[in-house]
Amino acid sequence: MSKPEQLLERLIQAELCPPDEIRGCTQKQLRQIEKCAGAPLPADYLETLTLIGCHAGHFMSDLDFFYPAMLSLTERTRELIAESISLPEDAFVFADRYGEQILFFRLAEKKKGPVYKWSDEEPEQFLKVFNSFGEFLEEELTAHEMQAGD
């Protein structure tokens, strides 16, 4: 994702989100999210939250991703997967797809914030699936655009 305004433009163009349904997080909400994480979060993630962190129409509506849901995802995930694997101590879960796929950052990896995934298909391992949140966001947006074009 190259520029934040392109995200909004693409969401509207693909008819994934009418402009009046786009709601970003406030600075107070962003501070609450980082306090919950206990460490700084990747800049591209926070930038995205300022644009669409509370609601974005149909975009990513199949995920628990938006504020305030993300505040409880890490602890909920720890309980959910405890029988198969332990979530790393420095994990911050930012998305949950029906409890079947969990996406998280390792907060110790401060630079770009690679994205890791846990899946109920392979419950005893975590996979690094994206080098940054921006890569994840681009894939999600492209997939939604393709579905909208069908």
Side-chain angles (χ1 to χ4, degrees):
M1 184 67 45
S2 50
K3 294 184 180 175
E5 57 271 10
Q6 288 179 329
L7 168 63
L8 300 179
E9 189 177 300
R10 288 172 67 186
L11 288 173
I12 294 165
Q13 215 167 29
E15 298 180 354
L16 293 168
C17 187
D20 62 333
E21 289 187 25
I22 297 171
R23 288 193 300 283
C25 289
T26 65
Q27 288 302 309
K28 183 179 179 181
Q29 290 167 332
L30 291 174
R31 285 190 301 275
Q32 184 183 12
I33 295 163
E34 281 203 304
K35 184 178 180 184
C36 178
L41 291 162
D44 54 353
Y45 173 66
L46 292 174
E47 187 174 86
T48 299
L49 293 181
T50 65
L51 299 172
I52 63 166
C54 291
H55 189 70
H58 298 295
F59 182 57
M60 295 199 295
S61 61
D62 62 332
L63 294 172
D64 280 339
F65 169 82
F66 297 101
Y67 179 88
M70 89 272 286
L71 297 174
S72 63
L73 291 179
T74 301
E75 286 312 309
R76 194 171 81 197
T77 298
R78 285 191 197 289
E79 294 171 15
L80 175 72
I81 69 172
E83 290 184 23
S84 56
I85 193 169
S86 293
L87 192 64
E89 283 300 313
D90 68 335
F92 177 77
V93 177
F94 70 86
D96 175 354
R97 186 171 273 130
Y98 310 117
E100 297 170 356
Q101 295 178 352
I102 309 296
L103 298 169
F104 64 93
F105 304 115
R106 302 281 313 260
L107 297 173
E109 298 176 355
K110 297 176 184 181
K111 295 257 180 195
K112 284 228 177 209
V115 174
Y116 294 87
K117 175 180 156 184
W118 173 88
S119 169
D120 65 354
E121 293 175 4
E122 299 181 65
E124 295 175 356
Q125 67 177 343
F126 301 116
L127 299 173
K128 180 178 167 185
V129 289
F130 299 100
N131 290 319
S132 68
F133 178 78
E135 283 184 15
F136 158 76
L137 187 63
E138 180 63 34
E139 183 170 293
E140 284 290 313
L141 186 52
T142 300
H144 279 79
E145 286 172 330
M146 290 173 61
Q147 287 177 345
D150 289 343

